[in-house]
Amino acid sequence: MIQLIVFLPLLAAVIAGLGNRAIGNVPAKIVATAALFASCALSWPIFLSFVAGTASASVTPVFDWIRSGSLDITWALRVDALTAVMLVVITSVSALVHLYSWGYMEEDPDQPRFFAYLSLFTFAMLMLVTADNIVQMFFGWEGVGLASYLLIGFWFRKPSANAAAIKAFVVNRVGDLGFMLGIFGTYLVFNTVQIDEILRLAPGMSGSTIGFLWFRADTMTVLCLLLFVGAMGKSAQLGLHTWLPDAMEGPTPVSALIHAATMVTAGVFMVCRLSPMFETSPFALTVVTTVGAATCLFAATIGLVQTDIKRVIAYSTCSQLGYMFFAAGVGAYGAAMFHLFTHAFFKALLFLGAGSVIHAMHHEQDMRFYGGLRKSIPVTFWVMMMGTLAITGVGIPGVIDGLPAIGFAGFHSKDAIIESAWASGQSGASIVGMIVALLTSFYSWRLMYLTFYGKPRWAESEHIQHAVHAHGHAHGHAQGHAHGHDDHGHDDHHDHAHAADDGTAGYHPHESPWSMRLPLLLLSVGAIAAGYVFHGAFIEPAAGDEFWKGSIAFREHLMHAAHEVPLFVKLSASIAMLLGLGGAYYAYIVRPTLPGQTARSFSIVYDFLLHKWYFDELYDLLFVKPAFAIGRLFWHRGDEQTIDRFGPNGAAFIVASGARMAGRLQTGYIYTYAFVMLIGLTAVVTWAIAS
């Protein structure tokens, strides 16, 4: 069964990719979508069997891969509780993204190529999460990097898409260097790449040292930090996060697939998979906590001021990944995976919902040109409302004995992280989580109010005006012919343009087709119920310990302590959600002029956040421009003026000069040749006498 789950997407990618236009759009889409739904259907029973406690970990060998000395790597598929969680997350979201893409990419001429890339991406991610050794994990790790490059740059004729794809690829190479060094070091220390063996031997290496960068350091700290650098790149943590927002240049289904359930969660998965290693290094865990909390806060502040609907959700993803990492850093690996699980549903829902809005608004992505859309696209409005209720953590805390906590998906997992951080003694990380919960609520409700409430602002958008103009011209042309006019409906077009001045009459947003709405409705179920239904298996002390069964370092005592935190900690996320909701309502509904006034009054802070803390500008100054300067130096001074000048160009110059000199002797006169022969004879005689 596991072989089918993993290799069906690869088969679909091969058929759709190689068949391409030869098989046509519809067959390619059918093959790819059917393969993913089949993988999804096979994944859920595995996951539910682990939830029910009737399944156990297993390893399925596929073939011998590498044998060199003591290095013996078998390609095998590992299935345990951690893998089961990732299987349902990846296949469920990917299957729905495939279906959604039927409508969203309907007009694209390269649909088979797009679906092939989607399926290839899914296969690579499945290879990553089923890996039985860290080299096989690296194969999947690099596979999703390649597929993400292809997907982000899918519209390769668009310069910004190409730039975003290259940026994602290069930034991830930085992180992957750390991951590779971590793999090399792990093999050097443990003489194996098998994950089970590494985790079994890891506690025994606690306290040992290893030489690294001309000094000796704690062995496990060095290995864990190197591996974490890889996680930072793949999961867009602070410092290596800059590729994530630019990845929005790809089609919206790509954004949902990359940002919701797959590539960006690979780092979290890797840290949880290798959690027994991280448990041996308190310093490494502190670094994970610090970086996660900093990323969480940093990305949330940027999300407050973004105007592109997809970028708001992208920075939200970056922030939520920070939650997952600082949960892992405090030892709450179950809570980290729980948030990964719930986040997949509501974040995919929000991204695909945003795609539905963009589809309705003629590809306009700036929320300043939205407004009043809830009546025009009601299905999209309600599903995005479900996603917003989930991400902001709406629910009723279980503060009364005998009454369980009940709420949307994000409520259960986010509260579990904040409470676990407090219980572990990391009150600073917990407070950061509370602050970010407030910021998340504010920017999420800001998105909803700007998009679906208030007066329509469509007339201000160039995209919409272009659509209105095209519609008016076409309609007026038809009217002119109907009435026998020769002016091609000029007056009618003028009336349409005039009617569009209020932003409502000229353009009418329309609901997406059912191929796009159905995935939204299914994801809404997950956003509503995933947290309440599965929280016991993930984070309840006894049930969680039974569910994970050694697949992660589950701290049962920490989960017990999380239930005993002070009342204000349990209520903090809900209070933060209400404050963010009230603040956004006041700023964007009651006093819609307030945000503009605030931006002008605090222009320095506003510009700082709008420019994303100037990370791109800083990296451009520190890395990009010097790299280009060095490149130009080697190009002009090294290549052109040195190598070419004294190499091929120099040789060519000598040959050409010699040819010109020899050519001057070819006069055609006998006395010239006789003179040359005489000179030659004289030279030979002179040499003979001298020797």
Side-chain angles (χ1 to χ4, degrees):
M1 182 181 293
I2 185 62
Q3 296 96 321
L4 286 175
I5 293 173
V6 172
F7 290 107
L8 275 176
L10 176 62
L11 179 62
V14 171
I15 293 173
L18 297 182
N20 208 292
R21 290 189 175 90
I23 63 174
N25 291 343
V26 175
K29 293 191 290 187
I30 290 175
V31 168
T33 308
L36 262 299
F37 271 95
S39 291
C40 179
L42 294 172
S43 298
W44 274 96
I46 295 176
F47 171 69
L48 295 176
S49 65
F50 276 98
V51 172
T54 59
S56 58
S58 64
V59 177
T60 305
V62 179
F63 56 83
D64 291 337
W65 190 18
I66 299 173
R67 286 183 180 175
S68 177
S70 63
L71 183 64
D72 188 353
I73 304 176
T74 299
W75 197 291
L77 305 177
R78 178 179 180 82
V79 178
D80 56 16
L82 185 62
T83 305
V85 172
M86 297 303 295
L87 287 179
V88 296
V89 164
I90 295 166
T91 58
S92 298
V93 173
S94 184
L96 294 176
V97 165
H98 274 72
L99 179 59
Y100 180 93
S101 300
W102 278 62
Y104 194 87
M105 302 296 290
E106 180 62 34
E107 298 178 1
D108 196 279
D110 287 334
Q111 293 176 58
R113 180 167 63 92
F114 180 76
F115 278 81
Y117 289 170
L118 287 182
S119 297
L120 178 64
F121 184 99
T122 308
F123 163 72
M125 193 66 197
L126 290 171
M127 285 305 312
L128 191 160
V129 301
T130 57
D132 190 43
N133 59 75
I134 52 178
V135 176
Q136 187 179 332
M137 182 186 290
F138 187 71
F139 171 84
W141 193 273
E142 293 302 296
V144 294
L146 169 64
S148 67
Y149 169 80
L150 296 173
L151 285 167
I152 295 169
F154 176 76
W155 287 324
F156 56 86
R157 293 182 178 86
K158 184 180 177 184
S160 58
N162 282 326
I166 293 171
K167 187 175 184 179
F169 200 79
V170 171
V171 173
N172 273 276
R173 296 291 70 72
V174 176
D176 291 352
L177 175 61
F179 191 32
M180 285 189 288
L181 291 175
I183 292 173
F184 298 153
T186 301
Y187 176 68
L188 178 67
V189 170
F190 296 104
N191 200 35
T192 181
V193 293
Q194 291 298 121
I195 293 175
D196 280 351
E197 281 294 301
I198 293 169
L199 300 185
R200 183 180 64 83
L201 297 171
M205 296 303 300
S206 182
S208 65
T209 61
I210 189 174
F212 182 71
L213 296 179
W214 308 287
F215 64 91
R216 296 199 70 81
D218 181 78
T219 301
M220 297 310 297
T221 297
V222 170
L223 296 182
C224 290
L225 290 181
L226 287 173
L227 293 170
F228 181 60
V229 169
M232 287 177 63
K234 199 65 72 181
S235 294
Q237 293 302 281
L238 186 62
L240 296 178
H241 68 280
T242 53
W243 67 269
L244 189 71
D246 288 3
M248 296 298 98
E249 293 294 334
T252 298
V254 172
S255 304
L257 189 61
I258 291 177
H259 294 75
T262 51
M263 179 173 169
V264 294
T265 60
V268 180
F269 166 81
M270 186 264 284
V271 171
C272 291
R273 169 63 81 200
L274 303 179
S275 53
M277 285 183 66
F278 282 83
E279 286 288 288
T280 63
S281 175
F283 180 77
L285 286 177
T286 301
V287 171
V288 174
T289 303
T290 304
V291 171
T295 304
C296 195
L297 181 61
F298 154 79
T301 59
I302 297 177
L304 296 173
V305 300
Q306 297 299 304
T307 56
D308 186 312
I309 187 171
K310 288 173 65 177
R311 285 184 179 268
V312 173
I313 304 173
Y315 278 108
S316 171
T317 297
C318 196
S319 181
Q320 299 303 307
L321 289 166
Y323 265 118
M324 299 174 206
F325 273 110
F326 87 67
V330 302
Y333 304 103
M337 289 303 301
F338 187 30
H339 197 54
L340 185 155
F341 179 75
T342 60
H343 175 266
F345 293 104
F346 62 71
K347 188 52 61 68
L349 175 61
L350 288 171
F351 264 119
L352 296 183
S356 184
V357 172
I358 295 167
H359 184 270
M361 296 302 292
H362 201 69
H363 305 290
E364 176 61 73
Q365 295 182 198
D366 194 326
M367 296 184 298
R368 293 172 296 182
F369 303 135
Y370 291 169
L373 287 174
R374 68 185 187 279
K375 295 180 181 179
S376 301
I377 47 175
V379 174
T380 301
F381 165 70
W382 282 111
V383 296
M384 287 202 70
M385 178 63 76
M386 296 303 104
T388 303
L389 293 171
I391 193 174
T392 55
V394 174
I396 302 173
V399 295
I400 301 176
D401 292 339
L403 292 179
I406 184 170
F408 290 82
F411 165 77
H412 293 277
S413 56
K414 191 182 297 183
D415 279 24
I417 292 174
I418 293 173
E419 293 166 8
S420 299
W422 187 276
S424 70
Q426 299 279 359
S427 56
S430 183
I431 291 172
V432 169
M434 299 173 192
I435 295 171
V436 173
L438 189 154
L439 299 179
T440 301
S441 178
F442 183 87
Y443 67 64
S444 297
W445 289 110
R446 169 180 176 263
L447 183 152
M448 290 297 292
Y449 292 142
L450 283 175
T451 303
F452 296 105
Y453 291 86
K455 294 182 179 179
R457 301 178 296 277
W458 315 329
E460 304 168 25
S461 166
E462 292 183 6
H463 291 288
I464 303 302
Q465 283 300 309
H466 177 75
V468 171
H469 176 83
H471 169 76
H473 180 76
H475 182 74
H477 184 79
Q479 289 287 336
H481 277 283
H483 293 283
H485 293 168
D486 294 329
D487 61 359
H488 298 287
H490 176 78
D491 291 338
D492 186 74
H493 172 223
H494 176 77
D495 291 340
H496 267 73
H498 180 74
D501 287 344
D502 65 353
T504 59
Y507 185 78
H508 300 284
H510 52 87
E511 194 63 86
S512 303
W514 272 107
S515 61
M516 294 171 64
R517 277 181 279 177
L518 181 58
L520 295 175
L521 295 171
L522 293 175
L523 286 169
S524 297
V525 176
I528 295 169
Y532 179 75
V533 172
F534 295 109
H535 77 279
F538 281 88
I539 59 173
E540 288 299 323
D545 191 44
E546 175 66 18
F547 173 67
W548 294 113
K549 293 179 181 176
S551 62
I552 63 172
F554 187 78
R555 296 186 185 180
E556 186 178 351
H557 67 279
L558 179 59
M559 294 298 100
H560 276 294
H563 287 285
E564 305 301 326
V565 296
L567 180 61
F568 81 90
V569 178
K570 293 185 177 182
L571 294 176
S572 61
S574 296
I575 294 172
M577 182 277 300
L578 292 173
L579 290 174
L581 169 63
Y585 181 80
Y586 182 76
Y588 292 96
I589 300 299
V590 177
R591 285 189 59 189
T593 58
L594 180 61
Q597 295 172 356
T598 304
R600 288 188 292 273
S601 300
F602 300 94
S603 58
I604 295 177
V605 176
Y606 177 77
D607 289 339
F608 181 69
L609 297 180
L610 191 64
H611 287 86
K612 302 158 288 187
W613 290 32
Y614 291 99
F615 265 96
D616 282 328
E617 289 80 358
L618 179 64
Y619 285 177
D620 187 63
L621 179 65
L622 294 179
F623 303 115
V624 178
K625 288 181 178 177
F628 274 102
I630 293 172
R632 283 192 294 269
L633 175 67
F634 281 111
W635 173 24
H636 292 300
R637 296 291 181 88
D639 197 2
E640 293 182 342
Q641 298 180 17
T642 303
I643 296 174
D644 286 350
R645 180 181 180 184
F646 297 105
N649 291 348
F653 174 78
I654 293 173
V655 170
S657 300
R660 284 194 297 271
M661 293 178 62
R664 291 174 183 175
L665 300 176
Q666 304 298 323
T667 62
Y669 296 107
I670 295 176
Y671 62 80
T672 302
Y673 299 140
F675 179 69
V676 172
M677 291 174 65
L678 180 62
I679 292 175
L681 181 62
T682 303
V684 170
V685 171
T686 303
W687 175 79
I689 294 173
S691 62

